[in-house]
Amino acid sequence: MWLLTDSDREKDDPDVVVDSRPLGLVLLSRSYRWFAFIGLGLLFWILLAWPTPTGLTVDGQRTLAAFVICLILWLTRLIPLAVTSLLAITLIQLLGVMESGEAFALFGHQAVFFILGAFILAAALMKTGLSSRIALFFLSKFGGSPKQLLLGALIVPAFLSFWMPEHAVAAMLFPIIIEIVRALGTKPRKGNFGHAIFLSLAWGAAIGGVGTFLGGARNALAVGILKQTTGQFIGFFEWMIAVVPMVFAMLIIAYFVINRFFPSDIDSVEEAVDVLKARNKQMGKPSIEERMVGFIMLLTVAAWVFLGSAVELASIAILAVVALFVFQLVKWRDLEGYVNWGIILMYGGAIALGFALEDTGAAAWLAQVLITRWTTSPMIIIIVLAFISILLTEGMSNAAVVAMLVPVGLGIADTHGIDPRVIVFAIAVPAGLGFAIPMGNPPNAIAYSSGYIDPKRMLKVGLLLDLCAWVVFVLMAKYYWPLINIRI
Amino acid sequence: MSDTATIRNPGYLKLELMIRGVKISRQALGCAEIERRIKLSKETGAALELEIVLPENVLVNIPVLECLAEDRPYTLIEEGSRFYIVGRDEKVEVWIPSLPEFYDKKTTSGVPMVEIGRAYAGYLAISPTPVCEFIKQDIACHYCDLESKKGRAWTVDEVVETVEAALDEGAAEFVCLNVGYTDTADGGIALLEPYIHAIKKKFDVLVCVQAQPPGEDKWIDATYAMGVDSIAYNIEAYDTKLFSRIAPGKLRLLGRDRYFEALRYAAKIFPSSAVVTNLIIGLESIESTNKGISNLTAMGVIPTLPIYRMGFDENMDSAKLLSDVAPIYVHLQQSLKRNKLSPTWISHFNLALNAIDGHFFGGEAPLQQKWQRVLKSKHGGRIAHSISNFRRRLRVRSVDDDSTPSGF
Ligand code: SF4
């Protein structure tokens, strides 16, 4: 009876915390939500009852009221992001801005289905173990020295984030990196190497995530809003051509920054290599399922690149998903845990709200009031938008930043004759580049949960990297994009 | 101190009885209550205790079978259906509470309830599962009483039925669950979770747990969140060497420091005065024990001070013994006062002398005595339970209140 049974073994991590602040503060923080909801209700009423400003239609004013409320909810997270999006879609049809059929139909936008397909493909990669195999294969090529291992920990997640959501990449690599640091005997928050390798993981995944539509689904969301509101489109390949050079530049900068601020304090990584080898060995030969999933993934990416202008990206994604089921490579139940249904709902609502803002002229009015009143220079507008986007993404959801800024940005593009695609890049790309705060990015949060990262050091070095990302983005926009025919 | 003075002072008398035991006189042995305890102890191997209420409501428990030995300086006698403790030339009236009725009951599955739970004038002690990694690895604590018990874990239903029976007859005001150590991040508390949930769901009762510190602090949060109102991680000895001798498993698998870390953290998570640890008196020097008391109370932890009875020299002069040990209780009482801790919880643990008893040795009579009486009343217990629940509702929150990671 002294032996532990399986059910006695490791339990799931607890999902609760106890707030140990003084009781008065706790009471206040618990009840503030109600005051906040009452305040929001009042604000909504005031925004609706306010005399309609010149240049804004009544529908525009109503949409703007809904937008402000959703914006506050997205920022404060008084309710989950997805529920705020559902509220957005309900508000715009209750206020008579859109017919209910029209509003809810926007949930069926192709960007939503593209994201759904991408999530399912990533789930198949993870479920079959193919993604871990690829990660281990590449990581084990970087075992020559501590610096090389750090480079591997930066490049491998970046590469994988081209093909899978960045948070999934970070979550998948997390246990491998934990094993590596344990094998090397580094202790949480002590010394540099543990710090550096987890930051490499987080920042590598985040940087890679801006490179395609797959890494950061917000990219697809931004393009979805673009297509819904202007009819213009950015293809899978076109996006990569425009953004991948920036990914390379940021990887190089991140590598130097990490080595500069966290110089390695270990001499050898032999134990880490042993861990990687043992893990590799454990995986055995690739299974049929892995090979098949790999093949379908390659075909899908090829189709996105070469057929993207003729066939909807979402249709290609969905066909790939169907193929996974035709060949019985995954089961529906396996996928349910991997797919973030909340985010899909969120995107549907964000697209609807973005469309309403554009359609009613509210976006253009807002852009005029907030930005173009102060400057009309397209370059300055792009610089400011990129800055706001990086700043906001440190404090709020990447997707919320996109949902909030893209409609406004498109309004500016409309009134100032800027290529709307540039606006999409200027918002969606920086929105994935929050390096300074653990909650600024899902990979940051995952790496931070290791306990190896000191938030103060992360903030200091991350802010520097934020700044670099902003500068690199501006340089790209000014000097590189004109070469590939994207003009501001 | 003279024998007369000792017997008249309930605190001293409690200490004396705990150390030296008491003999049950022949005619007292005929008393139905005592007879029943002895019979049940022998039949079930349940090692029941003789519970004696001394003047001023001071409780003392002594293993009943030990009271059959002849060579005890005190005797429990019965005269005209009243009980007395008799010393060398003085006697004092005491009361013997009747044995809980649920001891004679069985669960629906047929297990005698006395094997599952034991009531100690205030609380019901239950060890739902005999799992312990220390025992498995042969590094059990030296005083472990689970070691000899082999058997299955009680089902949640069996435990709930026992709690219900004990509460229904008023045999206990709160439930104390014990669990051994498991080599998992939760340290064993997860094994108790279903029992705690079931008890909390069904009854308005406070729950105390004696466990080993979990590997990660987040499990201390989880312990509070699952409904535990008071937690005990027992360090047993403050002296490092002694700790390693009497608790080899605790040292090897957790380390002494982890106990202090966990106690310090728990004191921030649990309500004030609800974090407890055993510090056995008689094993280490008084200076060491006093240092332990000072440090623990400064951390917000309340030490309970059971006496290591085997460690005492049987022939030791009573006066010397009392003069050595008594000041520790006074020191405890003063330390609690200095750190604004209230020994309400530990007052129930009448197996140990506690701070409330401290005033018998020259300390002040604390307000807690009155408060303890309020808590022990039916309405008082309910109020305490409601306050405890309210605090938990306020303080506990889910880590994924918003299930969407920020950066999507
Ligand atoms: S922790 Fe010690 S006392 Fe408790 S069951 Fe294990 S060995 Fe026995």
Side-chain angles (χ1 to χ4, degrees):
Chain A
M1 192 55 214
W2 309 124
L3 295 174
L4 294 179
T5 61
D6 278 349
S7 61
D8 298 333
R9 282 272 152 225
E10 209 69 57
K11 311 285 173 186
D12 285 346
D13 263 5
D15 55 359
V16 287
V17 283
V18 177
D19 189 339
S20 56
R21 292 174 299 170
L23 208 60
L25 261 183
V26 178
L27 257 172
L28 203 71
S29 65
R30 282 278 157 138
S31 46
Y32 84 95
R33 295 178 89 245
W34 299 110
F35 294 117
F37 285 128
I38 293 168
L40 271 180
L42 271 175
L43 178 67
F44 189 51
W45 179 76
I46 291 170
L47 288 173
L48 289 175
W50 203 264
T52 310
T54 30
L56 191 65
T57 61
V58 174
D59 275 354
Q61 183 182 7
R62 289 175 181 170
T63 312
L64 218 49
F67 178 64
V68 169
I69 298 303
C70 292
L71 189 64
I72 295 171
L73 288 173
W74 275 329
L75 263 171
T76 55
R77 307 237 204 137
L78 285 166
I79 53 176
L81 298 178
V83 178
T84 302
S85 283
L86 290 175
L87 176 70
I89 222 159
T90 311
L91 282 181
I92 53 178
Q93 55 109 350
L94 281 180
L95 292 171
V97 177
M98 261 191 220
E99 294 290 319
S100 68
E102 199 186 347
F104 285 114
L106 288 166
F107 261 111
H109 192 275
Q110 50 273 56
V112 176
F113 282 91
F114 172 80
I115 292 158
L116 176 64
F119 276 157
I120 294 179
L121 282 168
L125 279 177
M126 283 193 281
K127 182 77 193 59
T128 55
L130 180 61
S131 53
S132 301
R133 183 183 296 282
I134 296 170
L136 284 169
F137 173 78
F138 284 115
L139 265 181
S140 58
K141 303 285 167 214
F142 290 91
S145 67
K147 276 191 174 181
Q148 272 191 30
L149 190 59
L150 284 183
L151 183 63
L154 190 71
I155 289 181
V156 172
F159 170 72
L160 289 171
S161 293
F162 277 11
W163 317 112
M164 291 165 63
E166 61 204 7
H167 68 279
V169 171
M172 181 192 77
L173 287 174
F174 183 80
I176 302 176
I177 303 289
I178 283 276
E179 270 191 59
I180 288 177
V181 289
R182 285 202 182 137
L184 293 173
T186 52
K187 297 264 176 303
R189 295 206 189 170
K190 297 220 172 82
N192 284 341
F193 191 80
H195 228 115
I197 198 162
F198 277 104
L199 286 180
S200 300
L201 167 69
W203 292 349
I207 293 170
V210 301
T212 67
F213 290 165
L214 301 174
R218 66 188 163 271
N219 303 340
L221 170 67
V223 175
I225 299 176
L226 171 75
K227 189 166 183 189
Q228 188 62 39
T229 50
T230 67
Q232 293 205 41
F233 185 65
I234 303 172
F236 190 85
F237 192 53
E238 208 182 331
W239 180 281
M240 283 185 77
I241 294 281
V243 182
V244 168
M246 176 171 182
V247 170
F248 287 130
M250 282 311 298
L251 284 175
I252 294 168
I253 294 171
Y255 177 71
F256 283 109
V257 167
I258 288 171
N259 275 296
R260 168 76 182 77
F261 287 92
F262 303 96
S264 175
D265 47 8
I266 56 168
D267 303 324
S268 143
V269 286
E270 262 173 48
E271 295 89 341
V273 177
D274 291 344
V275 165
L276 293 171
K277 276 189 190 150
R279 277 266 202 158
N280 252 327
K281 212 168 158 193
Q282 255 176 22
M283 295 218 74
K285 286 198 180 127
S287 62
I288 293 281
E289 284 81 9
E290 279 178 72
R291 287 166 205 260
M292 296 273 289
V293 167
F295 180 67
I296 290 175
M297 191 71 200
L298 280 178
L299 265 186
T300 310
V301 173
W304 279 331
V305 172
F306 299 113
L307 305 177
S309 48
V311 185
E312 271 298 339
L313 296 185
S315 307
I316 296 171
I318 298 297
L319 279 178
V321 169
V322 172
L324 292 176
F325 285 91
V326 168
F327 294 107
Q328 294 187 312
L329 298 172
V330 280
K331 293 197 190 91
W332 185 254
R333 203 182 310 149
D334 297 335
L335 297 179
E336 277 178 325
Y338 287 103
V339 177
N340 192 322
W341 302 101
I343 214 69
I344 290 169
L345 285 181
M346 184 198 159
Y347 283 10
I351 289 174
L353 191 57
F355 177 68
L357 280 169
E358 179 70 23
D359 198 43
T360 57
W365 182 84
L366 201 60
Q368 204 271 326
V369 170
L370 292 182
I371 297 181
T372 51
R373 173 186 289 189
W374 316 106
T375 176
T376 50
S377 153
M379 193 64 209
I380 293 180
I381 289 172
I382 295 298
I383 291 173
V384 170
L385 279 178
F387 181 77
I388 295 174
S389 181
I390 289 186
L391 202 70
L392 287 180
T393 203
E394 289 288 6
M396 66 189 277
S397 148
N398 298 346
V401 173
V402 167
M404 177 185 121
L405 286 184
V406 169
V408 180
L410 291 178
I412 299 173
D414 193 26
T415 48
H416 288 77
I418 304 173
D419 183 346
R421 293 175 307 159
V422 174
I423 297 286
V424 166
F425 284 126
I427 293 163
V429 173
L433 298 173
F435 301 111
I437 293 174
M439 298 321 290
N441 226 326
N444 287 1
I446 290 167
Y448 180 74
S449 72
S450 67
Y452 276 79
I453 294 176
D454 173 1
K456 279 191 206 132
R457 292 180 79 186
M458 182 180 190
L459 180 72
K460 202 172 100 186
V461 186
L463 280 177
L464 176 69
L465 212 55
D466 281 353
L467 192 70
C468 294
W470 184 48
V471 173
V472 170
F473 179 82
V474 172
L475 292 176
M476 288 240 319
K478 182 138 182 67
Y479 298 109
Y480 171 62
W481 288 350
L483 303 178
I484 53 168
N485 232 357
I486 303 175
R487 287 179 205 289
I488 295 173
Chain B
M1 181 176 278
S2 72
D3 274 3
T4 308
T6 303
I7 210 164
R8 291 227 174 121
N9 181 322
Y12 280 116
L13 183 57
K14 176 172 176 173
L15 196 55
E16 274 282 276
L17 295 179
M18 282 165 67
I19 298 166
R20 303 187 188 285
V22 63
K23 177 177 79 184
I24 305 175
S25 71
R26 199 157 296 167
Q27 96 255 52
L29 270 177
C31 151
E33 264 316 314
I34 295 177
E35 219 179 1
R36 234 178 105 211
R37 277 175 204 262
I38 295 171
K39 194 167 156 244
L40 259 176
S41 275
K42 285 184 175 165
E43 276 174 13
T44 61
L48 295 188
E49 316 236 324
L50 177 61
E51 202 165 61
I52 307 174
V53 183
L54 307 179
E56 295 192 44
N57 250 337
V58 173
L59 288 157
V60 60
N61 285 55
I62 302 148
V64 71
L65 295 182
E66 279 184 25
C67 302
L68 301 180
E70 285 298 316
D71 54 342
R72 298 283 182 258
Y74 297 95
T75 311
L76 177 75
I77 62 164
E78 189 193 10
E79 280 178 10
S81 69
R82 288 174 166 217
F83 290 95
Y84 299 88
I85 295 281
V86 182
R88 242 165 268 168
D89 47 10
E90 181 83 7
K91 70 176 183 182
V92 62
E93 185 174 4
V94 296
W95 295 264
I96 306 290
S98 46
L99 206 59
E101 280 168 20
F102 79 90
Y103 280 12
D104 292 323
K105 292 184 182 163
K106 286 187 173 173
T107 63
T108 323
S109 57
V111 182
M113 289 184 181
V114 68
E115 286 181 24
I116 297 175
R118 213 68 56 70
Y120 296 101
Y123 72 96
L124 179 70
I126 299 176
S127 299
T129 160
V131 168
C132 182
E133 187 69 18
F134 301 154
I135 299 174
K136 192 181 135 198
Q137 294 193 22
D138 223 7
I139 41 176
C141 310
H142 276 198
Y143 41 80
C144 176
D145 62 348
L146 260 189
E147 200 177 10
S148 56
K149 271 190 228 156
K150 300 236 156 58
R152 65 176 175 87
W154 309 124
T155 65
V156 171
D157 286 345
E158 286 165 345
V159 167
V160 167
E161 280 178 41
T162 308
V163 173
E164 185 164 30
L167 294 181
D168 277 355
E169 64 171 291
E173 287 97 38
F174 74 96
V175 179
C176 185
L177 300 174
N178 306 306
V179 68
Y181 177 66
T182 61
D183 195 9
T184 47
D186 63 278
I189 189 70
L191 290 180
L192 291 186
E193 193 167 3
Y195 301 96
I196 295 165
H197 279 165
I199 292 170
K200 280 284 179 174
K201 198 169 163 202
K202 199 138 192 240
F203 315 104
D204 287 345
V205 68
L206 297 173
V207 171
C208 147
V209 161
Q210 289 204 53
Q212 308 311 312
E216 295 167 8
D217 285 345
K218 57 186 169 193
W219 278 103
I220 299 177
D221 290 53
T223 303
Y224 178 66
M226 67 180 73
V228 177
D229 300 289
S230 166
I231 184 79
Y233 301 130
N234 292 331
I235 57 166
E236 318 296 359
Y238 189 70
D239 179 79
T240 316
K241 277 198 197 121
L242 193 66
F243 177 81
S244 65
R245 253 194 14 244
I246 62 170
K250 293 183 178 186
L251 180 79
R252 195 170 325 153
L253 300 190
L254 279 160
R256 180 175 174 272
D257 289 350
R258 180 61 194 140
Y259 277 80
F260 285 93
E261 270 170 30
L263 284 166
R264 185 175 289 115
Y265 184 78
K268 287 189 207 138
I269 297 302
F270 280 78
S272 168
S273 309
V275 181
V276 179
T277 189
N278 261 356
L279 208 54
I280 304 173
I281 291 191
L283 285 173
E284 58 190 314
S285 70
I286 289 169
E287 292 71 41
S288 177
T289 303
N290 277 345
K291 205 168 150 198
I293 291 172
S294 300
N295 289 348
L296 287 163
T297 48
M299 280 160 49
V301 176
I302 300 197
T304 47
L305 307 175
I307 289 184
Y308 185 66
R309 302 167 70 211
M310 304 310 287
F312 280 81
D313 179 353
E314 293 289 328
N315 301 316
M316 199 186 204
D317 170 22
S318 163
K320 168 136 181 20
L321 183 70
L322 290 172
S323 61
D324 273 356
V325 174
I328 298 179
Y329 295 102
V330 178
H331 177 64
L332 171 63
Q333 201 193 30
Q334 287 166 348
S335 303
L336 293 178
K337 196 174 169 198
R338 195 169 42 247
N339 293 292
K340 298 193 178 69
L341 296 170
S342 149
T344 317
W345 269 99
I346 59 162
S347 65
H348 294 276
F349 301 144
N350 48 322
L351 298 182
L353 216 71
N354 60 55
I356 292 184
D357 300 328
H359 77 279
F360 293 116
F361 309 111
E364 296 162 35
L367 197 67
Q368 283 84 18
Q369 248 178 330
K370 286 182 194 122
W371 180 228
Q372 182 193 358
R373 246 168 266 144
V374 174
L375 279 189
K376 284 200 163 208
S377 69
K378 203 163 189 171
H379 293 304
R382 281 223 183 103
I383 291 168
H385 181 256
S386 307
I387 292 173
S388 181
N389 273 356
F390 179 64
R391 183 190 187 275
R392 185 171 289 107
R393 278 185 74 90
L394 271 182
R395 290 206 180 266
V396 175
R397 57 189 173 79
S398 169
V399 278
D400 56 0
D401 271 346
D402 179 351
S403 56
T404 311
S406 79
F408 279 102

